[in-house]
Amino acid sequence: MAPFQTTRRIEFRDTDAAGIVHFSVFFAFMESAEHELLRHVGLSVVSNAEGRVVSWPRVAARCDYREAIRFEDQVAIDVRVERLGNKSITYAFRFHCDGATIAEGSMTSVCCELPRGRDGEWIKPVPIEIPPDFRRKLQPYSG
């Protein structure tokens, strides 16, 4: 299966003093691309599932840079599910522009219930198994 793909136009705010995209922007782009994939399959980074509020805190992220991109470049971002575990998902990202790979990264998120305390305030997230509906919807982007 082809990866999910989205694009971003590089904004001036994304660049550093040298006029290239600042390294930290790639992490924001990965998170946005993950959210777009989830919306594409009818999910969200915060969802109701089986009577619980479910979210996906990040536990790891990395990005390896190969080329620079600059203001007004358009970058394509490929997203695929690298690993679909019992309680976590690792996404793989490939950034490319004009046929060249710009960067490759990954991000691991853990499926968690967001319980509320007696006072209605959110308390510490609790890792849970990925709901079957989520797994089914993300499976086509795995492998």
Side-chain angles (χ1 to χ4, degrees):
M1 168 98 177
F4 175 78
Q5 187 176 90
T6 187
T7 59
R8 293 282 182 278
R9 174 81 55 193
I10 303 304
E11 303 286 337
F12 184 74
R13 68 172 181 238
D14 299 329
T15 62
D16 61 16
I20 61 174
V21 172
H22 191 266
F23 78 93
S24 64
V25 171
F26 287 87
F27 292 94
F29 284 178
M30 286 191 290
E31 183 175 50
S32 291
E34 173 208 19
H35 291 195
E36 286 187 44
L37 168 60
L38 291 172
R39 282 191 300 274
H40 177 75
V41 299
L43 300 172
S44 176
V45 73
V46 177
S47 302
N48 287 309
E50 302 170 348
R52 306 184 279 194
V53 177
V54 175
S55 190
W56 300 88
R58 280 86 180 126
V59 295
R62 71 162 188 78
C63 193
D64 298 317
Y65 310 97
R66 295 190 175 38
E67 299 287 335
I69 49 177
R70 301 178 182 284
F71 173 60
E72 294 211 354
D73 283 348
Q74 186 163 319
V75 63
I77 306 165
D78 294 342
V79 185
R80 65 180 177 78
V81 175
E82 184 173 81
R83 181 181 173 279
L84 189 55
N86 289 328
K87 296 181 180 181
S88 67
I89 297 175
T90 300
Y91 296 98
F93 301 88
R94 179 177 167 256
F95 297 82
H96 50 102
C97 184
D98 297 327
T101 297
I102 305 302
E104 293 178 303
S106 68
M107 185 171 61
T108 300
S109 299
V110 174
C111 185
C112 287
E113 178 181 0
L114 299 179
R116 290 187 184 259
R118 290 187 180 148
D119 58 2
E121 294 293 318
W122 296 109
I123 57 177
K124 183 179 177 181
V126 177
I128 61 171
E129 286 197 21
I130 297 170
D133 188 47
F134 284 57
R135 183 176 298 286
R136 180 182 56 76
K137 290 180 177 181
L138 291 169
Q139 191 65 46
Y141 296 95
S142 186

